[in-house]
Amino acid sequence: MRLAGLLSKSILCAASSVMTVTPLQAQAPCEQIRTACKSAGFVQGGPIGDRLVLDCFNPLVFGEYPPKRTSRPLPQITQQLAAACREKSVARQSPQGNQQFPPPGGSTLIAREGGRTVYDTRLKVTWLADANLAAKQSFGVPNVNKSGSMNYATAVRWVAAMNASDGGAGYLGHHNWQLPTAPDNDSTCQLTGRHGESFGFNCSASALGSLYYASLGLREPDSAVPSSQNRVGPFQNFQPYLYWSKSPAADAKQGFVSFSFSTGFQGANVFRNYLYVLPMIKGRPPGAPAASGSHLQANPGGTTVYDPITQVTWLADANLPARQTFGLAGINRDGSMDHDTAIRWVEALNRADGGHGYLGQSGWDLPETGPPDPGCSMKGTTGFACTSSAMGSLFYRQLGLRPGESVIAPSEARAGPFYNVQPYLYWACAGQSPSSICQPNGPGDGFEWNFSLGNGFQGTNLVGNALDVMVYYPDNSAAQPAP
């Protein structure tokens, strides 16, 4: 049975310290379950599939079982033990009926208004629990994509319309909703940009960074929701996220060209980020049937797909690294990797099977972008409708998608007390604290902040890109403290 909100990892981690010298039966219920998870091989802060809290404790206690992310059998516990732990951990109600998610040491997420909002005592803000309201409610604002994504200017207008709704009372009776803030300087970040702005992984001073790392207890490269397994035409396992290309960005400091199968936007990403890989071969493999027409054609066995328009053969599994690393280190459990690792993985693909190559092919490569594309909505090879690149042609011409559309349906997954969480990039704005109003100027000309709930990376993005939106309002009202 799924609960409306799961305890975050940070909440559960410190619920009690496991005393290895204490007999299992003498421990408190939650301690017994944590000990059982440890004995089964799950690790505190481990990789996806092996994490003690998210992959073992939560499934056992709250019935949240993601079988594709758990790499080992769960230990056997009684229903009575799980119920006793739930009672200790979750079922505390304030006099106002606000369900509390209390972690020792500070941050508390409190579900309010029937689970529609979430009070964050660490940030002193109240989040909207629906992390993709825009997919259902545009408030009359144009240019909101069906998936809920939008460019930055539209996001600003959408939040303003949200505040003006219901005759000026605002959505849910609040008229001070805003985008989450990110400070220019954050000592917790790994990297610094050309304008001195902090970016990278572990950025926990921003509102979304605090939510991801502290309140939800995630660690890069964790996704807030499970990776997707799906069928899209002759392909399988497309991720609604960014994919690496082989082509360097026009500005070398921006890394390499990337393509979003979540929105159809072609941009660039620094090589240290974690993106997915869809390799291809130029031309048709030997022995493949002759092309008939211009539509995608699955080759015999269905393991490769030929595109007659670009004359390349794609691997049909759009996330093979999640299942096959070829012994290469640096590949995340969900299949994502940095650009250097992507290059090495493709090389391993070609060395496979004693040098014959994977599927008998040794010509695998990352897709290229090609010369400047006049069809791109922005300059050069950047923007929407970049159909001259191999991935752009696949997205727009062969899969028939439009700018702002996703290769798969939007996620309805939960993360803690939040729902409809997207494993993609969310807009943020410049602001020194969560209670600051959004500043009119971003971290660079034509750029604004964003945060990935797909892997915990904080960066900047062109304001013309289409990202997801979740909001909060500053709330200094005294919430009931966690007992």
Side-chain angles (χ1 to χ4, degrees), residues 126-308:
T126 293
W127 296 89
L128 186 65
D130 189 340
N132 195 23
L133 176 66
K136 301 178 290 295
Q137 177 59 273
S138 70
F139 296 105
V141 176
N143 301 320
V144 176
N145 298 317
K146 290 182 179 180
S147 66
S149 66
M150 63 192 85
N151 64 35
Y152 187 78
T154 302
V156 172
R157 290 194 297 270
W158 183 79
V159 174
M162 189 179 184
N163 288 325
S165 65
D166 195 18
Y171 186 69
L172 299 182
H174 304 284
H175 51 78
N176 57 338
W177 297 100
Q178 67 171 71
L179 295 173
T181 61
D184 288 335
N185 299 308
D186 180 353
S187 61
T188 65
C189 294
Q190 295 176 332
L191 305 169
T192 301
R194 64 182 62 187
H195 303 295
E197 72 277 12
S198 303
F199 75 100
F201 292 107
N202 300 319
C203 299
S204 57
S206 66
L208 285 167
S210 173
L211 181 66
Y212 176 92
Y213 287 105
S215 296
L216 293 178
L218 298 168
R219 294 292 179 268
E220 60 94 0
D222 290 351
S223 174
V225 303
S227 58
S228 177
Q229 300 194 9
N230 52 68
R231 300 288 306 190
V232 179
F235 293 92
Q236 62 193 39
N237 301 321
F238 253 120
Q239 301 307 301
Y241 203 73
L242 302 164
Y243 278 73
W244 286 121
S245 83
K246 183 180 180 180
S247 302
D251 182 345
K253 292 183 179 180
Q254 293 178 348
F256 293 85
V257 175
S258 58
F259 189 89
S260 171
F261 280 92
S262 180
T263 65
F265 189 89
Q266 187 166 277
N269 268 272
V270 295
F271 77 92
R272 295 180 182 88
N273 206 342
Y274 297 134
L275 277 57
Y276 294 93
V277 177
L278 178 60
M280 42 74 68
I281 301 169
K282 293 181 179 179
R284 289 186 297 112
S292 58
S294 60
H295 58 279
L296 292 173
Q297 298 169 42
N299 291 318
T303 54
T304 58
V305 180
Y306 181 62
D307 183 347

Side-chain angles (χ1 to χ4, degrees), residues 305-368:
V305 180
Y306 181 62
D307 183 347
I309 295 179
T310 55
Q311 298 182 357
V312 302
T313 296
W314 296 101
L315 190 63
D317 190 337
N319 194 20
L320 178 65
R323 285 157 289 284
Q324 178 57 272
T325 67
F326 297 101
L328 192 67
I331 297 176
N332 299 320
R333 187 63 61 91
D334 65 354
S336 64
M337 63 192 84
D338 64 28
H339 195 269
D340 290 347
T341 304
I343 295 294
R344 293 196 301 271
W345 183 79
V346 172
E347 291 172 348
L349 207 66
N350 290 323
R351 292 193 304 268
D353 195 18
H356 295 288
Y358 184 67
L359 302 178
Q361 304 298 321
S362 58
W364 295 104
D365 205 350
L366 291 177
E368 293 181 293

